[in-house]
Amino acid sequence: RIEPVLEMVGDRDRLAQVLDNLISNALKFTPAGGRVEVRLRAVDGEALLEVADTGVGIPAEDRARVFDRFFRAANATARAVPGVGLGLMIVHAIVVAHGGAIAVDSEVGAGTTFRVRLPLRAVRADDAELPVAYGDPPRGGG
């Protein structure tokens, strides 16, 4: 469900990485017959991106750590879902580098929703490059 939003200043490739990672995780943790939904809309001068699934959910004791480097929820390791625990940490770093915030709501057995808020502002020709996100090669010539 995509509603029109203003253009924004941002690194297209890194923002695509955020979307790719959140959707990939939702698909990985949602059993056959489940549902993954992506929503985008403007709210109070921000783009609100939501990726929601009807998957296995994240235990309450693990939610506060999902953005930590190398952290994997107990139910991910128990189900042998592939991953090394870097994806959500990188997503968090990219969102923060864009001046945004990310949050997670989840219930075990009912699913998970990640909410990304990014500031919307008109693109100007003199906008400086955004800070380099975690894991990016250095920018510039030389």
Side-chain angles (χ1 to χ4, degrees), residues 13-60:
D13 292 336
R14 296 293 69 85
L15 292 171
Q17 187 177 3
V18 166
L19 190 58
D20 179 61
N21 188 284
L22 292 177
I23 293 171
S24 295
N25 279 356
L27 293 170
K28 243 193 298 192
F29 289 99
T30 301
R35 184 172 168 195
V36 173
E37 189 172 313
V38 178
R39 298 179 290 263
L40 175 66
R41 60 191 167 111
V43 177
D44 300 326
E46 295 180 313
L48 174 60
L49 169 69
E50 297 175 308
V51 178
D53 66 58
T54 59
V56 299
I58 303 168

Side-chain angles (χ1 to χ4, degrees), residues 14-26 28-29 58 65-73 81-96 102 114 116 133-135:
R14 296 293 69 85
L15 292 171
Q17 187 177 3
V18 166
L19 190 58
D20 179 61
N21 188 284
L22 292 177
I23 293 171
S24 295
N25 279 356
K28 243 193 298 192
F29 289 99
I58 303 168
R65 298 194 55 215
V66 295
F67 302 112
D68 291 353
R69 181 184 286 193
F70 300 121
F71 180 77
R72 303 212 48 231
V81 176
V84 294
L86 290 174
L88 290 175
M89 187 228 33
I90 293 169
V91 164
H92 182 268
I94 293 169
V95 169
V96 169
I102 184 168
F114 283 92
V116 175
Y134 176 83

